[in-house]
Amino acid sequence: MAHPSTYQPRSGAEKWLDERLPVARLMHDQFMTFPTPRNLNYWWTFGGILTFILVAQIVTGVVLAMHYIPAEDRAFDSIEHIMRDVNWGWLLRYSHAVGASMFFLAAYIHTFRGLYYGSYKAPREVLWILGVLILLLMIATAFMGYSLPWGQMSFWAVTVITNLFSSLDAIVPGLGTTLVQWIWGGFAVGGPTLNRLYSLHYLFPFIIAGVVVLHIWALHVPGNNNPAGIEVKSPKETVPFHPYYSIKDGFALLMFLLLFGVFLFFAPNLLGHADNYIPANPLQTPPHIVPEWYFLPFYAILRAVPDKLLGVIALVSSIVVLFFVPWLDTSKVRSTSYRPVYRWFFWAFVVTCIALGYLGSQAPEGWYLFFGRVFTIYYFAFFLVVMPVVGKFERPRRLPGSITEAVLGHAEQPRSRKREAVA
Amino acid sequence: MTRHVFLNLLGTFLLGFAAPDHAVGQDGHAPEIARQSWSFAPPFGTFDNAQLQRGYQVYRDVCGQCHSMRLLSYRNLGEPGGPEFSAKAVEALAAKSQITDGPDDKGQMFQRPGRPSDRFRSPYANEQAARSANKGALPPDLSVMAKARAGGPDYIYALLTGYRDAPPDMNLAPGMYYNEAFPGHQIAMPPLLQDGAVAYTDGTEKTLDNYARDVSAFLMWAAEPKLEERHKVGMRVMIFLLVFAVIMYLAKRTVWAPLHKHRDTQSS
């Protein structure tokens, strides 16, 4: 939020630097005194949590890269070398692997929070689009990272996902095949594929970090949305980010780390798949090829469509549709709390995503496939039908006049009713 | 012992559940695997050194005749959190195996007794030799087996104790055995592990059940040699985070208190 700078250089050196590169001023204004709505709830703490995990993933990843060997015949053993012989290697590797799951858990909560409170609506469309871009980059990064242990599931996940591009053969014969061989660096998934996946897996997190900077920049221009979904009307309705939200985010981060710790120390393989402890074998397909849990809803959508090309289009659309959410939702009201009709559709959408996640882990046959299709249809209908139509016809509940009123809740209402009675 | 029980209870209480310590898969075709009780399974569980030592004996005398464990070295047998054989015992165990080394000054490979730094000696020189000695079947490497199958040590125990007579309506392929726990029930591995097959010296009963249990625990350690360290560090980290979180919560309440007071005076 544009606010007057309150930074005062306290020494000659600070003054000198401030006139040349006002980086201390930037930090002071954006992360210390930044005016933040005083009514943010704990769902708003996931941005800070995500920043922490991104940094943790990069730090653990850089150290892991010092010990990992991206070669077809050595990758699996080099991971086991990390687990057995590198000092604290087991902690680094499990932190990184479990950290990926925690990253997606937090990112999904963060995204659902944005959806529920309408944080994508004007003037925060660019902020939202950058967020979807980060999600897309995360998906690519996690997929490439999962390939690196070069176990059975790594190998076959790469085979299945890269083969999706071959569906382009249905448009231009030969185009898909050529593209897939270009991606593989050969006629099958192999050493060259592993090398390039590793190279890109190291590159992408830094691109994510760059987009995160833009994401925070785009947040700091209009300022935070808030649970009431109404604009800040006076400076009294805000508090400086530090200490109010630095400490609230800090507490939330610790609670999140406790959950992280449960998985990391007591069930590090619970979220993974046993088959990935079998070295990659191109001659033996596992009975079920299943992605990591955080991709299961998308996997269910892919398999719900009987045609390969259309399935891939559905898969890509399920994420791309998020880019258009700011314009698909026609309601003027941001917060779903004040939208009595839309609210039901929203929670049905949350249930749909969880159901698709479960169905993605099951074989696509019988009732599983049937419900996979039902939920896939609702997934898209939510964006393409519910968002535009409900916004037009719904009568939202009365919005509070200000954040102050929203915070005070019903305390003022009896008084106003009394006044009405007198009148 | 009582300390372990207490820590297990504490862990179960703190975490609200006893987390299974192995990968859980969702292979719909695999038969149900019964859960066993393991000393290392609870959140703060540890390995039973004596059990791991017996398990190593079972591996070396029976499993190791066909199955390699190429990721383990003899020195691992003496490391903390494992079977914890004495340094002398590790040297003696390593020296029992003849290791191919070389080439020497004349360019010849030669045999020498194993050293603690050597990897476990593999029973076959290569995959082809292993297959030809086993009617075409390849005995898989056991280094991370306890993490590479849904069910982990439970599965290994179920498999080793799962040999039965084939149902009359089932046509077993020649040279195959019927096993309840194995997906598809036809397994090429013969039931070599039988009552009395391994000479335990610590008074433990020489039964198939004990052998299967001990070697499953041993394979879990082999797959996850840092499990004890992980549990120990985990407990400390969790306690630290809990205390830190309480302090942070109180600090947060203190910092926000004036704002909430302000709200109360406004509303009254």
Side-chain angles (χ1 to χ4, degrees), chain A residues 233-252:
Chain A
K233 297 211 170 76
S234 87
K236 271 188 165 178
E237 295 175 343
T238 65
V239 289
F241 182 82
H242 180 75
Y244 292 98
Y245 284 105
S246 49
I247 204 158
K248 190 170 181 173
D249 284 2
F251 169 62

Side-chain angles (χ1 to χ4, degrees), chain B residues 138-195:
Chain B
L138 175 68
D141 184 88
L142 298 182
S143 308
V144 282
M145 185 52 80
K147 290 197 290 189
R149 295 291 182 275
D154 292 333
Y155 169 76
I156 296 170
Y157 172 83
L159 185 86
L160 293 175
T161 57
Y163 287 96
R164 301 282 183 278
D165 290 330
D169 57 334
M170 184 168 177
N171 276 326
L172 275 181
M176 301 293 266
Y177 301 87
Y178 183 83
N179 190 305
E180 275 186 343
F182 194 67
H185 299 306
Q186 292 201 54
I187 188 166
M189 176 169 78
L192 289 180
L193 207 55
Q194 301 283 358
D195 288 352

Side-chain angles (χ1 to χ4, degrees), chain A residues 164-351:
Chain A
L164 294 180
F165 290 99
S166 69
S167 62
L168 292 172
D169 278 346
I171 306 173
V172 182
L175 172 68
T177 312
T178 312
L179 187 62
V180 170
Q181 288 178 359
W182 179 71
I183 292 167
W184 285 344
F187 297 104
V189 174
T193 325
L194 176 59
N195 272 172
R196 59 196 60 187
L197 289 173
Y198 176 57
S199 170
L200 294 174
H201 182 69
Y202 203 114
L203 169 69
F204 272 43
F206 297 96
I207 302 179
I208 294 179
V211 183
V212 166
V213 171
L214 295 181
H215 189 66
I216 296 173
W217 187 1
L219 167 70
H220 280 222
V221 175
N224 291 81
N225 182 29
N226 63 80
I230 50 179
E231 289 298 319
V232 171
K233 297 211 170 76
S234 87
K236 271 188 165 178
E237 295 175 343
T238 65
V239 289
F241 182 82
H242 180 75
Y244 292 98
Y245 284 105
S246 49
I247 204 158
K248 190 170 181 173
D249 284 2
F251 169 62
L253 174 63
L254 285 168
M255 296 307 288
F256 191 81
L257 288 181
L258 277 165
L259 176 73
F260 194 151
V262 169
F263 283 105
L264 169 57
F265 293 110
F266 305 111
N269 292 309
L270 187 67
L271 298 170
H273 197 289
D275 278 23
N276 225 25
Y277 281 105
I278 305 172
N281 182 355
L283 301 177
Q284 191 182 39
T285 318
H288 295 300
I289 301 173
V290 201
E292 293 280 87
W293 71 267
Y294 38 82
F295 292 150
L296 288 173
F298 305 116
Y299 196 50
I301 290 174
L302 170 72
R303 299 187 304 176
V305 183
D307 179 78
K308 187 175 174 185
L309 178 63
L310 293 177
V312 174
I313 290 173
L315 173 73
V316 175
S317 310
S318 64
I319 298 161
V320 169
V321 73
L322 290 170
F323 283 112
F324 299 98
V325 161
W327 297 278
L328 287 169
D329 188 351
T330 51
S331 173
K332 292 276 179 289
V333 177
R334 288 201 191 105
S335 173
T336 303
S337 302
Y338 300 97
R339 299 185 60 187
V341 179
Y342 178 76
R343 170 197 291 231
W344 292 99
F345 288 103
F346 174 84
W347 288 110
F349 177 71
V350 175
V351 171

